[in-house]
Amino acid sequence: METNALTAPKNSSLNTSSNILNSSQKPQRIFRFGSFEPDISSDSSSEYIPNSSFFQNSIGAAVTLAKSPFTAFFGLAAAVLYYIYSNTLSLLNIEARDSSKHKPKDKPTKSPSPFNLFEMEKLDLAVIATIIVGATTFLFRKFIFGNHILRTNSIPTINIQAAPKIAQHSYDPQRDLSFKMFQNNQNVVLIYGSQTGTAEDLAKRFARELHLDFNAQVLIVDPELYDLESLSKISPDHIAVFLVSTTGEGEPTDNMAKWYEALIGEDIFTADFSDLELPSFVDPTEESDFSGDYEFDTELPLANLNFSIFGLGNSTYEHFNLPTKQLTKRLRSLGAKLVGPVGLGDDDVNIDDDFEKWTGAAAPLIAKFVSSSSTGIDSSPNKYEPSFIVKELDILPIDASIGSVRPEILENASSINISHVDSKHPWYCLPLNSKVLTHTSSERRIIHLELDLDNINLPYTTGDHVALFPTNYETQVRLLLNVLNLDGSKPISLSFSPNASDNKPFPHSISSYSSMLRHYLDITLPVPKDSIKHVLLPYARSEPAKAFLKKLIDDKDYYKNIILTPVMSPGELIQNIHTIEKKEAVSDDLKFNFTFSALIDLLPRISPRYYSISSSNLESPNKISITAVVLNYKTPNNINRYGIATNYINAIHDTLSNPDTNSDIIFTSDKLSYCLKDTRKHSSNNFAIPIYIRKSTFRLPSDPSVPIVMVGPGTGIAPFRGFIRERFYQAKNSIPVGPTVLFFGNRNESKDFLYKDELLESFAALSSSNKNSKVITAFSRDQKEKIYVQDRMTEHSALIWDLINNQNGHFYICGDGKTMSKDVIATLKRIAQNEGKLDETRASSWFTTLKNTNRYAEDVWA
Ligand SMILES: Cc1cc2nc3c(=O)[nH]c(=O)nc-3n(C[C@H](O)[C@H](O)[C@H](O)COP(=O)(O)OP(=O)(O)OC[C@H]3O[C@@H](n4cnc5c(N)ncnc54)[C@H](O)[C@@H]3O)c2cc1C
Ligand SMILES: Cc1cc2nc3c(=O)[nH]c(=O)nc-3n(C[C@H](O)[C@H](O)[C@H](O)COP(=O)(O)O)c2cc1C
């Protein structure tokens, strides 16, 4: 059933925002004065700060003045001077009174004013005062002037030297959001939390939309590169927009982990922040002449911040969009004002649709924080400006490496700090060997690939994931080179356009057209509607091209039929435009003429693909293996489509199987061509794969004697192969190993029994020490009735109940998260009902206890 994240009534994901609002509202305790009141009246869920009374204003003003060190210093100096002065005065007055006794009566007594009475003394005093003030000012000149640059415009003044309280010594203006915004004159900051690139790409697209449709100046921010504390310094005239993905089991993404830890603590599941220590947010009034009168409240340090938020999640996961919900709560509890609805995008349905609905509601509200007025929708070619400037070079500089993801070369492995191997700095590892696990007659091809960690000793633990950056296949690379009329081998240099919001560099500023297309850009994902409007349409000069693109933008069904259903690639879309123009005999001067720099904006960066590591670090610490099914499918209109990473793995396998192949281009068994050897080759004339390890929570019990039950059909066997190899290795080394049960399923035993020989060997050893250790298979198509792992579980209910309930064993699921894992959980609960004689409710609580005691774990993917 399709759920509508934005329009659904009560109980829908959108309503979460109002729940959040109610549960987290704190009494307003700040005095606010001045002109700033964001107009967010159309958002009924947003917080408002009422206009304060004159009395409040006055107190607030006094408090603000007293808090400023600058005014406090002068206040003190004035008070001291006044004290000296008044004491001197009273002394002089006494003398005056006394001396008057001796004055002639006819001389009129002067007015009591000291200045009138004692001209000379007043001058002396003024001279003394000037000297004191001058000397003190000179002595404290850095304090008085160094941190305060007064400005009169509405942009907050940022002082580069002014350090936030938390990190006086390590303050880096380049990590200060507000400073960056000020420096670039930007009024919207888009902060993305992204694991596999979707949120990052949405940020890029939304920045473009806000800029082109609303004239916003947008800064795109990877929170890993900025300090959380600088959030409190964003001007109240501006707005922060969060685009936040979920990973793991309801966890924040790696690039947001530090921000979450500081804001929410290590336990994202609790919504209680009362005991949490506050991050050291900075009082902007101490650092600058902050625009809009503002009172910093240490308990509501983000009262200054306006924010909008869209979460990316998948409703098949238990903790749907949890980080987004918790972040919203936390920001609001710190006083930040929510602008617009909380968007909860669902990848199980269509995240782009959800995002479009959310932007429809949020963008106009966000635009109210943009000082210049909205310019409306206009796609004139002059307005769109690509983020990168691409220049062709005559020759490739000798030392330029045009294709590597990580600048260091393999030979320098010893100089690499392994803690720096991450998504931004993947490591090149060499493939060692591979084999096909399925029979040639199987409908699917599943590959076992081993990767060498010998050079780097990258640590991993059994159950972790490896992320792998793939290379694109040549058909799509060449199609793009062809439709853009480019020479692929031409060296190019890349630099940012002056006003680019997207400042994420490519690994190398010098590359080649084909290298960019092979290694850095995703050239197969269908082009979203907003990118057609903002990037492609400005290049359409002929009426037929404009009409075609406008129809794609305006007509949802047409877009679905032309683009989504056939999974049309960007190259094919551009080719289509050319074909339409050719058919309509468009003259050369009006033909669609797309540039490579615009193409960089049109395409997302290529994202890493995750694989469950199928080896054990105990048995093989210096190599990891993966188990991947090659993705090939036909669209409803019968077009063959190919998964990027798995066909790349297939190509690596084919290359490893034919080591004598000398050609630069290799063809896989599916006739896909790959160029693996050009830019990623190393001294050994071998090619390397960029990877990094992602820690998971999918772990064997620390005590090997604890029983385990694993359910992993298809490639869901991957981490369990690692688990079993580990237990087999322990058993061989005379370590007592507890009962080990694997439920494995696939289509046919003769074609798809993955790792059959080694499983039988391992289980022969494991079962000799424990009779309950066994592999139980379900081959769905080997008989008339379909049999799945759940059916086998039911048959072995007593064993499962005994191992998990009576012997405190651990239960694991891996593989398809859409249906299989749900069916397996339902079966497990039924086993608890039947074997444990529990009613439905108690069986559910039994399962919850299993989870809460870390005896249930899943590693599933949709
Ligand atoms: C934590 C984790 C662990 C994983 N472990 C493993 C593992 O051990 N083994 C394994 O094989 N995979 C695993 N995966 C999946 C893996 O990461 C890749 O998603 C998968 O291999 C496909 O990658 P690809 O680049 O070949 O396909 P892509 O080029 O990324 O194409 C995949 C996309 O194609 C589209 N698509 C697929 N089928 C169809 C269809 N019939 N019609 C229309 N569109 C379609 C979908 O949009 C899908 O997202 C794991 C994923 C995660 C998140
Ligand atoms: C390994 C993995 C774990 C995930 N876990 C969750 C989850 O617990 N809850 C959820 O709502 N979505 C979950 N998702 C869905 C992602 O949040 C969603 O696909 C999102 O679009 C990914 O965005 P990104 O590419 O920016 O990381 C998970 C996705 C993956 C790949």
Side-chain angles (χ1 to χ4, degrees):
M1 193 191 73
E2 274 205 16
T3 51
N4 181 335
L6 286 168
T7 54
K10 284 193 173 76
N11 303 330
S12 73
S13 47
L14 182 59
N15 280 311
T16 317
S17 74
S18 48
N19 296 340
I20 289 167
L21 306 189
N22 295 335
S23 63
S24 66
Q25 266 168 347
K26 278 198 168 191
Q28 279 297 332
R29 305 207 297 103
I30 59 169
F31 295 129
R32 197 182 178 86
F33 46 95
S35 58
F36 169 70
E37 278 302 334
D39 179 10
I40 45 177
S41 50
S42 48
D43 169 27
S44 58
S45 64
S46 299
E47 250 178 33
Y48 296 90
I49 295 172
N51 281 325
S52 35
S53 67
F54 174 75
F55 177 66
Q56 283 173 326
N57 285 350
S58 311
I59 294 176
V63 170
T64 308
L65 281 173
K67 280 187 87 174
S68 155
F70 184 74
T71 45
F73 168 78
F74 275 103
L76 194 68
V80 170
L81 278 176
Y82 183 71
Y83 178 77
I84 298 170
Y85 165 71
S86 50
N87 277 343
T88 317
L89 189 65
S90 39
L91 191 74
L92 291 172
N93 266 339
I94 294 162
E95 284 174 3
R97 271 197 301 276
D98 289 345
S99 62
S100 69
K101 285 178 194 166
H102 309 287
K103 285 195 177 198
K105 278 196 176 158
D106 56 345
K107 259 199 167 178
T109 312
K110 285 199 172 176
S111 119
S113 160
F115 293 110
N116 285 342
L117 276 173
F118 305 102
E119 288 295 337
M120 284 309 288
E121 289 81 354
K122 183 188 80 177
L123 261 177
D124 288 347
L125 212 67
V127 170
I128 293 164
T130 312
I131 291 168
I132 293 173
V133 171
T136 325
T137 309
F138 178 76
L139 283 173
F140 291 96
R141 66 194 182 283
K142 276 192 186 159
F143 173 71
I144 298 167
F145 299 113
N147 289 349
H148 295 271
I149 305 162
L150 301 175
R151 290 183 195 243
T152 49
N153 62 14
S154 66
I155 299 163
T157 315
I158 313 292
N159 172 18
I160 313 175
Q161 289 155 7
K165 280 176 196 165
I166 35 125
Q168 295 283 347
H169 303 298
S170 61
Y171 176 66
D172 177 358
Q174 295 309 317
R175 294 185 63 86
D176 182 335
L177 286 172
S178 58
F179 174 67
K180 262 283 165 69
M181 291 175 81
F182 165 70
Q183 209 179 27
N184 303 336
N185 212 0
Q186 284 155 326
N187 35 34
V188 179
V189 56
L190 281 182
I191 301 164
Y192 66 84
S194 189
Q195 196 68 27
T196 50
T198 320
E200 183 182 342
D201 188 50
L202 286 188
K204 178 170 120 177
R205 285 159 47 193
F206 194 39
R208 199 161 53 212
E209 179 177 336
L210 287 171
H211 179 63
L212 293 179
D213 290 355
F214 299 101
N215 216 0
Q217 304 300 321
V218 187
L219 173 70
I220 298 179
V221 156
D222 174 350
E224 205 167 19
L225 307 178
Y226 287 85
D227 290 328
L228 166 76
E229 287 74 13
S230 56
L231 272 184
S232 61
K233 296 203 287 177
I234 294 177
S235 164
D237 300 339
H238 299 159
I239 184 163
V241 181
F242 290 86
L243 304 176
V244 194
S245 297
T246 314
T247 193
E249 290 175 45
E251 292 152 35
T253 56
D254 290 350
N255 74 327
M256 274 213 105
K258 284 216 168 82
W259 279 34
Y260 269 86
E261 212 175 292
L263 274 173
I264 291 171
E266 289 199 347
D267 186 1
I268 184 147
F269 298 96
T270 63
D272 179 13
F273 312 118
S274 49
D275 290 338
L276 203 71
E277 200 177 312
L278 271 180
S280 307
F281 286 108
V282 187
D283 177 354
T285 58
E286 282 190 11
E287 304 301 333
S288 62
D289 174 28
F290 202 63
S291 80
D293 295 321
Y294 171 74
E295 168 58 18
F296 186 72
D297 181 323
T298 47
E299 285 195 27
L300 295 175
L302 294 184
N304 189 46
L305 180 71
N306 305 294
F307 78 103
S308 286
I309 187 159
F310 178 81
L312 293 87
N314 187 316
S315 59
T316 59
Y317 287 88
E318 185 184 354
H319 304 289
F320 177 54
N321 261 308
L322 184 71
T324 303
K325 294 173 190 170
Q326 301 297 58
L327 182 63
T328 309
K329 263 187 200 172
R330 184 54 169 154
L331 291 175
R332 290 183 54 80
S333 79
L334 295 170
K337 289 172 290 299
L338 174 67
V339 175
V342 177
L344 298 178
D346 188 355
D347 208 11
D348 190 41
V349 188
N350 186 330
I351 219 125
D352 258 4
D353 278 358
D354 290 344
F355 190 63
E356 199 181 323
K357 282 173 207 149
W358 178 79
T359 52
L365 300 174
I366 293 167
K368 291 187 178 174
F369 292 87
V370 174
S371 43
S372 39
S373 60
S374 160
T375 50
I377 298 167
D378 178 5
S379 299
S380 73
N382 297 332
K383 283 190 65 189
Y384 165 71
E385 201 189 318
S387 307
F388 280 91
I389 299 166
V390 178
K391 281 198 182 126
E392 290 192 353
L393 305 174
D394 289 336
I395 44 160
L396 180 70
I398 297 169
D399 55 349
S401 163
I402 58 173
S404 71
V405 177
R406 188 171 180 125
E408 299 93 336
I409 54 164
L410 203 67
E411 286 77 2
N412 284 345
S414 55
S415 68
I416 309 286
N417 183 345
I418 49 174
S419 67
H420 291 155
V421 175
D422 58 23
S423 59
K424 293 191 176 73
H425 312 97
W427 170 248
Y428 270 137
C429 73
L430 293 174
L432 282 173
N433 54 61
S434 62
K435 64 180 172 196
V436 177
L437 299 171
T438 40
H439 192 264
T440 42
S441 62
S442 172
E443 287 155 48
R444 285 184 295 179
R445 190 172 164 97
I446 298 180
I447 293 176
H448 171 86
L449 173 69
E450 290 185 353
L451 305 168
D452 189 5
L453 300 182
D454 218 17
N455 253 325
I456 186 163
N457 289 327
L458 199 60
Y460 79 96
T461 307
T462 313
D464 280 345
H465 296 126
V466 59
L468 176 155
F469 285 88
T471 290
N472 284 307
Y473 53 88
E474 285 299 291
T475 325
Q476 292 295 336
V477 172
R478 287 174 187 212
L479 175 62
L480 276 167
L481 291 173
N482 196 22
V483 292
L484 267 62
N485 201 15
L486 297 171
D487 168 7
S489 61
K490 192 84 191 160
I492 52 171
S493 74
L494 301 153
S495 56
F496 290 114
S497 300
N499 298 324
S501 324
D502 182 13
N503 273 325
K504 182 176 170 180
F506 285 94
H508 292 273
S509 56
I510 291 179
S511 189
S512 71
Y513 290 124
S514 35
S515 216
M516 294 284 293
L517 296 174
R518 276 175 195 142
H519 305 307
Y520 302 143
L521 296 165
D522 192 317
I523 59 174
T524 56
L525 275 181
V527 182
K529 263 191 283 176
D530 56 87
S531 297
I532 295 179
K533 177 179 148 191
H534 293 129
V535 187
L536 281 175
L537 188 59
Y539 287 85
R541 292 175 295 175
S542 72
E543 284 316 312
K546 282 185 193 168
F548 172 59
L549 294 176
K550 281 185 176 154
K551 192 159 187 210
L552 287 174
I553 297 163
D554 298 333
D555 186 338
K556 217 175 161 184
D557 291 336
Y558 188 67
Y559 175 78
K560 190 174 168 215
N561 291 338
I562 299 290
I563 307 282
L564 292 184
T565 308
V567 200
M568 182 180 278
S569 73
E572 290 160 355
L573 176 57
I574 297 171
Q575 192 180 39
N576 258 322
I577 301 171
H578 288 321
T579 311
I580 288 168
E581 288 187 333
K582 198 171 171 191
K583 216 167 122 196
E584 297 292 326
V586 169
S587 60
D588 281 353
D589 57 325
L590 287 181
K591 274 193 179 140
F592 187 75
N593 195 5
F594 201 54
T595 66
F596 193 77
S597 34
L599 185 75
I600 296 176
D601 277 350
L602 189 73
L603 306 176
R605 304 283 170 102
I606 205 156
S607 62
R609 269 63 165 179
Y610 286 105
Y611 293 93
S612 307
I613 294 179
S614 58
S615 52
S616 152
N617 68 298
L618 262 190
E619 186 190 44
S620 43
N622 292 332
K623 67 178 182 194
I624 51 174
S625 67
I626 61 172
T627 310
V629 55
V630 180
L631 175 67
N632 294 336
Y633 62 92
K634 272 191 195 307
T635 65
N637 44 349
N638 236 10
I639 302 173
N640 286 320
R641 294 292 178 201
Y642 307 95
I644 299 294
T646 48
N647 283 284
Y648 168 59
I649 290 167
N650 196 21
I652 290 168
H653 165 74
D654 285 350
T655 312
L656 290 172
S657 320
N658 302 295
D660 298 334
T661 311
N662 226 359
S663 157
D664 275 350
I665 302 288
I666 65 124
F667 289 87
T668 69
S669 39
D670 276 315
K671 312 272 181 301
L672 278 183
S673 58
Y674 274 87
C675 183
L676 300 177
K677 289 193 175 177
D678 69 342
T679 52
R680 291 186 178 181
K681 86 179 151 205
H682 293 284
S683 54
S684 57
N685 197 27
N686 213 329
F687 51 88
I689 309 165
I691 62 147
Y692 65 96
I693 306 283
R694 185 157 197 277
K695 291 277 152 216
S696 94
T697 50
F698 201 68
R699 290 281 181 264
L700 274 165
S702 50
D703 176 359
S705 67
V706 171
I708 59 170
V709 175
M710 304 165 280
V711 184
T715 44
I717 196 172
F720 299 139
R721 189 225 175 220
F723 281 14
I724 292 159
R725 297 242 33 117
E726 184 145 326
R727 289 206 154 199
F728 179 41
Y729 176 85
Q730 287 166 327
K732 277 197 296 188
N733 286 284
S734 310
I735 297 169
V737 172
T740 307
V741 176
L742 169 71
F743 287 89
F744 172 71
N746 223 332
R747 290 181 182 168
N748 303 101
E749 178 169 4
S750 57
K751 301 176 191 171
D752 315 300
F753 195 165
L754 312 182
Y755 300 110
K756 182 177 182 179
D757 294 342
E758 67 167 79
L759 281 179
L760 295 180
E761 184 197 358
S762 312
F763 275 98
L766 291 170
S767 61
S768 67
S769 56
N770 193 306
K771 67 174 174 40
N772 278 332
S773 292
K774 56 185 80 171
V775 52
I776 298 162
T777 54
F779 292 102
S780 59
R781 301 188 183 184
D782 273 354
Q783 59 287 306
K784 219 165 145 211
E785 295 279 296
K786 292 262 170 74
I787 292 177
Y788 297 107
V789 278
Q790 305 88 283
D791 303 312
R792 294 288 190 230
M793 281 174 66
T794 309
E795 287 169 22
H796 293 83
S797 294
L799 174 68
I800 293 173
W801 182 249
D802 180 47
L803 296 181
I804 302 300
N805 186 67
N806 305 341
Q807 299 190 42
N808 283 324
H810 289 215
F811 189 90
Y812 302 90
I813 305 178
C814 180
D816 162 45
K818 220 173 162 81
T819 52
M820 183 275 292
S821 64
K822 291 187 174 62
D823 291 347
V824 170
I825 291 170
T827 310
L828 185 62
K829 287 183 186 168
R830 260 198 313 278
I831 290 174
Q833 283 177 263
N834 296 338
E835 299 293 324
K837 307 286 176 251
L838 306 176
D839 62 20
E840 203 180 325
T841 318
R842 287 180 64 213
S844 280
S845 359
W846 173 84
F847 179 67
T848 308
T849 312
L850 206 63
K851 278 203 290 190
N852 293 345
T853 51
N854 293 328
R855 285 166 48 223
Y856 167 86
E858 58 182 37
D859 176 15
V860 294
W861 54 89

